[in-house]
Amino acid sequence: MPRLPLAAFAFFAVLAAHAADSRSAFLKLLDRPRVPLAADVSPPVTRDALVETAFSFDAEAGERVPGLLVKSATSNGRRPVVIVLHGTGGNKESQRALLAELARDGFAAVAIDGRFHGARAKAGKEAKSAEYVGAILERFRTGRGYPFFYDTAWDVMRLIDYLETRADVDPRRIGAIGFSKGGIETYLAAAIDPRIAVAVPCIGVQSFRWALENNSWQSRIETVQAAFNAAAKDSGVAHPGAEFVRTFYDRVAPGIYGEFDGPAMVPLIAPRPLLSINGEIDPRTPGPGLKECADAARAAYRAAGADDRFVLHVQPATAHKVLPESLVLARDWFKRWLKP
């Protein structure tokens, strides 16, 4: 095997050092008192050869997380599990079709409500994203919480704590998939929690920094436009541009375009299997920024001798959505690496 040149060794050493810094800094940012899970599990319901179980647990004081676990009625023993994270305005019930497919593949499949979504919204699932956007504005104004992506990474870590207590889950075979907002939360959670053995972030991997520097931030901001507009008004900014976007991000998700940006966090998943699914013309995950993430990931996987464990799947002529054939690819990726 040919030897790497000294320059390459130096590059990978710097990469590893920065990776360790980003992981420890993000964990420090997220850290909060770990309260008892106080898990509550409802009686399982069987329909169409699938068993669905509702559960809930405490992620932190005052934050109860509701979830669904679906598995085959013929499932026995400890099964690999796939966590499914919804996008902005979604909820755990919106993922039922994918949960069912994963359960038929032999997995235990789990979905939770993100903060201020579904059963965690005071107005219920009909609230869509209104309360979520309101919480982001509240963060901008008061500095309370991290509803914009970060808090869900903490909830996923606590969800894994709960899954480890279940007799029907194999804690060594945990996967995660998420969509848009959930895709970002997937790679953030996988970057800091090695218990996630396989990750499939969908239409989420991106460089926030690249978007800011290249006037391509508008589509991402549109997902929380009302909060952004109100924050600009509070700040006396009549025509907010990239500079105010930086101010907004610095308050609601500090580090999102720096040490916790995609090119910094995605490589932390190496050498665990990682499939990133993106749209070729998705304005929320611009191609050049995505390339920066993929290049950094490839370098990390190459350094770990695990080139075959990273795949970037770009859906041709596709904007911000996941095609049915891409979901099949994701399921096959989980089957390949988690072996249900």
Side-chain angles (χ1 to χ4, degrees), residues 47-48 50 71-72 97 99-107 331:
R47 64 169 68 90
D48 298 327
L50 298 176
K71 62 182 181 179
S72 169
L99 296 179
E101 293 291 342
L102 289 165
R104 294 187 184 101
D105 287 337
F107 297 100
R331 288 165 52 204

Side-chain angles (χ1 to χ4, degrees), residues 145-174:
Y146 293 105
F148 198 47
F149 311 131
Y150 292 178
D151 280 337
T152 296
W154 173 266
D155 289 348
V156 171
M157 293 171 67
R158 294 295 280 157
L159 170 61
I160 295 173
D161 290 344
Y162 164 68
L163 292 174
E164 288 182 326
T165 71
R166 293 186 60 101
D168 55 355
V169 166
D170 183 347
R172 299 165 302 174
R173 293 186 289 166
I174 295 176

